[in-house]
Amino acid sequence: MRAFLLFLSRREGLKNFALKFKFLRKVAWRFVAGETIDDAIRAVRENNQLGIRCSLDLLGEYTLVHADAERTTIDIIGMLDRIRTEGVQCNVSVKLTQLGLALDSEFCGRNLTSIIMRARELDNFIRVDMEESRYTSQTLELVLRARREFENVGAVIQAYLYRSERDVRTLIANRTRVRLCKGAYLEPDTIAFKKKRDTDANYILLMKILLDSDLYHAIATHDEAMIAAAKEHARSRGIAKNHFEFQMLYGIRRDLQEQLAREGYNVRVYVPYGRRWYPYLMRRLAERPANLFFVARNIFMHSRRDTPILRD
Ligand code: FDA
């Protein structure tokens, strides 16, 4: 089921079809803050009021037109300005294929640099999300290159990849902050762990390497066992609660997000917004089959009145 949903997430035709259905939008709104920057800022404010910081993500990936990648770059810079005007506690996550990585690495690097430079002027931070394994090396190269010039950029490491321990060590050696996640894409067993217990074991190994370094990293997971392991490791090594942060996704385990914040940990919620929510939604459904019941219920409830609406 996971593989099937991840396969569907890459079907362009289905994406355009899905965007026409109101009920799918309603399902998406469980995981996505809305379609506009105003929706996103509202979600950030709600979290900030609970002592939770955010990372805003303008949805979009696999851009294959130069002008679209440039437009997205301008929009993300606009988002940074808006964060400053609103005075909210929030940084920004970007995907490099959204900035043209699939077109031309140098072009993408220039777009990334423009975003990081504006973020630096505004005292903000850019987290570069990690995508499918065919982009891993290029993504890390661009982050490391940017890191030589700028302080305010960090990487993401996926614990399901065999290569990740080496990458974590390289990033630490280059004083680069890491967000550790399990990994959300469909990868072959030649390069990635397939069993949850193997990914989890690698996650804990990488978490310990990261927390033992003197850099501020992010432990991104909703898995209570991973969170407990991180807390225990920090406690046993005398690592202060403000030496790292926990990160979770908008709409998932809100109870846990609030509980960790109340316990005095730094918590950041990843808040996606925008009209290109389809691949993001499919990855969230793939992570947890139970989410499909939510979809099914919406289909059932709306099947009589939901007719495709034109894309506006
Ligand atoms: P796991 O999948 O084992 O789930 C543990 C528990 O969490 C589940 O039992 C359930 O309770 C809850 N849960 C998890 N996913 C859920 C869902 N979709 N709906 C409802 N409940 C759910 N990946 C990537 O490849 N590149 C990236 O850049 C990022 N970035 C990123 C940022 C942040 C802040 C987070 C939290 C995650 C990512 N990810 C990511 C996604 C990540 O790789 C992974 O797919 C998800 O976090 C799910 O894995 P868990 O660690 O939560 O564990």
Side-chain angles (χ1 to χ4, degrees), residues 37 42 54 127 151 169 221 228 238 288:
I37 181 76
R42 202 173 307 120
C54 294
R127 176 76 63 181
E151 285 270 335
R169 294 191 190 281
T221 181
R288 195 160 177 258

Side-chain angles (χ1 to χ4, degrees), residues 2 30-31 55 93-95 127-132 155-160 179-185 196 200 203 218-224 226 246-253 256 268-271 280-281 283-288 290-291:
R2 176 172 180 270
R30 182 182 160 181
F31 302 102
S55 189
S93 294
V94 299
K95 285 190 173 44
R127 176 76 63 181
V128 179
D129 285 350
M130 188 55 78
E131 302 173 69
E132 284 171 288
V156 175
I157 286 291
Q158 298 154 324
Y160 63 17
R179 171 203 292 154
L180 178 64
C181 66
K182 290 193 185 178
Y185 297 84
K196 175 174 160 58
D200 287 358
Y203 192 99
I219 305 302
T221 181
H222 317 89
D223 188 335
E224 294 193 45
M226 300 300 108
F246 287 111
Q247 293 190 355
M248 292 188 216
L249 300 175
Y250 178 84
I252 301 182
R253 293 303 310 267
L256 196 50
R268 188 179 299 274
V269 169
Y270 183 102
V271 179
Y280 181 86
L281 172 67
R283 287 197 292 277
R284 301 295 77 84
L285 296 179
E287 276 156 7
R288 195 160 177 258
N291 287 338

Side-chain angles (χ1 to χ4, degrees), residues 238-283:
I239 296 166
K241 283 181 178 172
N242 64 4
H243 182 65
F244 63 98
E245 67 186 31
F246 287 111
Q247 293 190 355
M248 292 188 216
L249 300 175
Y250 178 84
I252 301 182
R253 293 303 310 267
R254 197 171 162 132
D255 56 332
L256 196 50
Q257 297 168 13
E258 292 180 19
Q259 183 196 315
L260 287 168
R262 279 196 303 273
E263 288 172 16
Y265 289 98
N266 290 343
V267 180
R268 188 179 299 274
V269 169
Y270 183 102
V271 179
Y273 75 97
R275 298 188 53 216
R276 298 172 180 271
W277 42 261
Y278 173 78
Y280 181 86
L281 172 67
M282 296 308 274
R283 287 197 292 277

Side-chain angles (χ1 to χ4, degrees), residues 7 24 127 184 311:
F7 167 79
L24 264 181
R127 176 76 63 181
R311 227 177 137 181

